[in-house]
Amino acid sequence: VERISTPLIISHPDRWRSRHRPIIPFDIGKPSPQEQRALWRDALAEKGIEADGLVDRLVSQFNLSLPAISAATATAQGDVLDDAELGRALWDAGRAQARPRLDDLAQRIEALATWDDLVLPEAVIALLREIAIHVRQRTRVYEHWGFASKSARGLGTSVLFAGASGTGKTMAAEVLANELQLDLYKIDLSSLVSKYIGETEKNLRKVFDAADDGGAILLFDEADALFGKRSEVKDSHDRYANIEVSYLLQRMEAYRGLAILTTNLRSALDHAFLRRLRFIVRFPFPDIAERAEIWRRIFPEQLPTEGLCVEKLAQLDLAGGSIRNIALLAAFLAAEEGTPVRMHHLLRAARTEYAKLEKPLAESEIAGWTSVVSSST
């Protein structure tokens, strides 16, 4: 390339650096929102469909190229009967077009949980609903109402979920993804962090760039492993570790979608990092009344049960994740015996869960169980 004297056109994701010959760079990005609106309208018009209101919603969420828009339109046409079905079909087709790049970098979670599955204080539920509103209305507030013209910084929606393991952080992320009809991707931090200088930033850039196409929800689970307190610079490794955190903060602020970080230890996060988050949601350990409600909701309707006492089960001092493990193991034990799920199955499963947690099962937690277990056997 350096020696050839003829004109050259080089296409590359990054800027090309030449040592000798002059280079004229042209930055060519995805179509602008206005161009994407025109592309959606033209693609739909070819199919005989007029949907201006729907086009605005699609452009606000997806950042697609011409081939992707054409493919989404062709996929969604199918056997559409009315405007509502057309809207859902186009939305799902847009999500599908945005997936391939991100599927290679993160784990997609099928979001099945709903608001009814969450057992949390009303204030926490209200804050989660505010996050959903923030994501749903961001185009109107930032673009139509002009907030984006005031500053290009801080337009992303960054959220911290802080709480003990099993208190519902991942389920809450599923609920938001289900509510917003967006894909949820769990980021494996161990696959992103590299000991080689600059590699972690490259890996993070790939994730955010891929997610930008569809505004997917990114879930950085147990984020304190990467987003811990920035160390004092004592050597070059400390300096580059701080650069990684700074790069992540920059990308999160610029990301057009929702990024959720979960941590078991809120105190392990740097204050400068917390200041740049849009929302901080604290997931408390459930009290006995909330544990009773979790037990009431944990069993599927089709599951056969007999003689269960929710009040006794709520004495177990456990979070929702462990409660689910106990309920699931008890169901397997009952299935093996060919009987409904009974209290003695749950007691046996509880002992297994406590042993796994290396936690003693106190007598106070199973006080009064003897008569209930005896009657269930």
Side-chain angles (χ1 to χ4, degrees):
V1 170
E2 295 285 353
R3 291 195 297 267
I4 293 176
S5 59
T6 59
L8 290 174
I9 299 176
I10 300 173
S11 173
H12 198 271
D14 301 315
R15 283 179 176 267
W16 184 281
R17 290 189 176 89
S18 173
R19 290 176 297 173
H20 304 295
R21 65 182 300 164
I23 288 182
I24 303 174
F26 293 91
D27 291 325
I28 305 173
K30 289 280 183 69
S32 67
Q34 294 77 12
E35 292 169 336
Q36 290 184 52
R37 286 187 181 92
L39 292 173
W40 276 108
R41 290 193 187 99
D42 291 345
L44 291 171
E46 289 180 3
K47 308 294 183 181
I49 301 171
E50 293 184 6
D52 284 346
L54 177 59
V55 166
D56 288 339
R57 182 167 177 256
L58 291 169
V59 172
S60 70
Q61 181 60 45
F62 303 112
N63 183 26
L64 301 178
S65 62
L66 172 58
I69 290 174
S70 300
T73 306
T75 302
Q77 188 184 17
D79 298 325
V80 174
L81 299 177
D82 55 33
D83 291 344
E85 290 183 356
L86 172 64
R88 286 193 296 270
L90 284 171
W91 186 268
D92 291 340
R95 288 169 60 180
Q97 289 297 319
R99 282 173 186 161
R101 291 177 61 201
L102 199 51
D103 277 340
D104 295 335
L105 300 170
Q107 175 193 355
R108 179 156 54 93
I109 298 176
E110 194 70 27
L112 301 176
T114 65
W115 294 107
D116 292 336
D117 296 316
L118 290 177
V119 179
L120 294 166
E122 291 185 6
V124 177
I125 296 291
L127 187 53
L128 292 173
R129 291 190 182 276
E130 287 183 14
I131 294 171
I133 292 172
H134 199 94
V135 176
R136 188 183 296 116
Q137 301 297 335
R138 66 180 184 273
T139 300
R140 175 177 296 181
V141 173
Y142 288 147
E143 294 184 15
H144 298 170
W145 289 358
F147 271 83
S149 63
K150 294 292 184 181
S151 175
R153 294 183 300 105
L155 300 184
T157 307
S158 302
V159 181
L160 175 69
F161 287 173
S165 179
T167 50
K169 300 186 294 296
T170 302
M171 180 179 286
E174 286 189 39
V175 170
L176 288 173
N178 199 351
E179 169 76 9
L180 297 166
Q181 295 181 292
L182 295 174
D183 290 326
L184 173 64
Y185 283 88
K186 183 177 180 180
I187 310 302
D188 181 7
L189 294 177
S190 63
S191 67
L192 298 183
V193 178
S194 174
K195 64 180 180 180
Y196 298 105
I197 292 173
E199 286 300 311
T200 300
E201 293 94 316
K202 288 182 181 179
N203 295 334
L204 286 170
R205 183 181 64 178
K206 290 179 182 178
V207 170
F208 281 106
D209 286 349
D212 266 331
D213 288 350
I217 297 177
L218 302 180
L219 177 65
F220 294 87
D221 202 18
E222 298 182 5
D224 38 286
L226 180 62
F227 313 128
K229 287 186 176 179
R230 290 180 285 184
S231 59
E232 295 181 5
V233 178
K234 298 178 180 178
D235 56 32
S236 61
H237 293 287
D238 292 337
R239 182 169 64 254
Y240 284 108
N242 289 349
I243 291 174
E244 291 174 0
V245 175
S246 298
Y247 178 79
L248 175 69
L249 295 175
Q250 172 192 339
R251 288 308 306 256
M252 288 182 60
E253 286 191 315
Y255 179 53
R256 63 197 298 268
L258 171 61
I260 300 175
L261 319 173
T262 73
T263 178
N264 299 337
L265 301 171
R266 179 181 177 277
S267 59
L269 298 179
D270 183 82
H271 286 291
F273 180 79
L274 294 175
R275 187 173 61 249
R276 298 169 77 169
L277 292 167
R278 187 62 55 86
F279 295 94
I280 297 179
V281 185
R282 296 172 179 83
F283 288 74
F285 196 89
D287 58 24
I288 190 167
E290 291 168 341
R291 294 199 297 271
E293 187 61 30
I294 294 173
W295 279 110
R296 291 189 187 96
R297 302 185 190 187
I298 203 68
F299 299 109
E301 292 182 3
Q302 59 268 39
L303 177 73
T305 62
E306 185 178 287
L308 301 189
C309 180
V310 170
E311 288 71 22
K312 299 296 182 185
L313 292 168
Q315 294 174 185
L316 296 173
D317 191 22
L318 295 169
S322 295
I323 290 174
R324 183 184 183 279
N325 291 340
I326 292 173
L328 191 60
L329 177 54
F332 277 103
L333 296 174
E336 180 68 16
E337 293 181 6
T339 65
V341 175
R342 296 174 176 142
M343 288 296 287
H344 72 277
H345 297 126
L346 289 161
L347 179 58
R348 181 177 166 187
R351 294 188 188 281
T352 300
E353 182 69 12
Y354 271 74
K356 182 186 75 175
L357 298 173
E358 297 182 345
K359 178 180 176 181
L361 179 58
E363 289 297 325
S364 60
E365 295 180 75
I366 55 173
W369 278 47
T370 306
S371 58
V372 180
V373 170
S374 299
S375 62
S376 72
T377 56

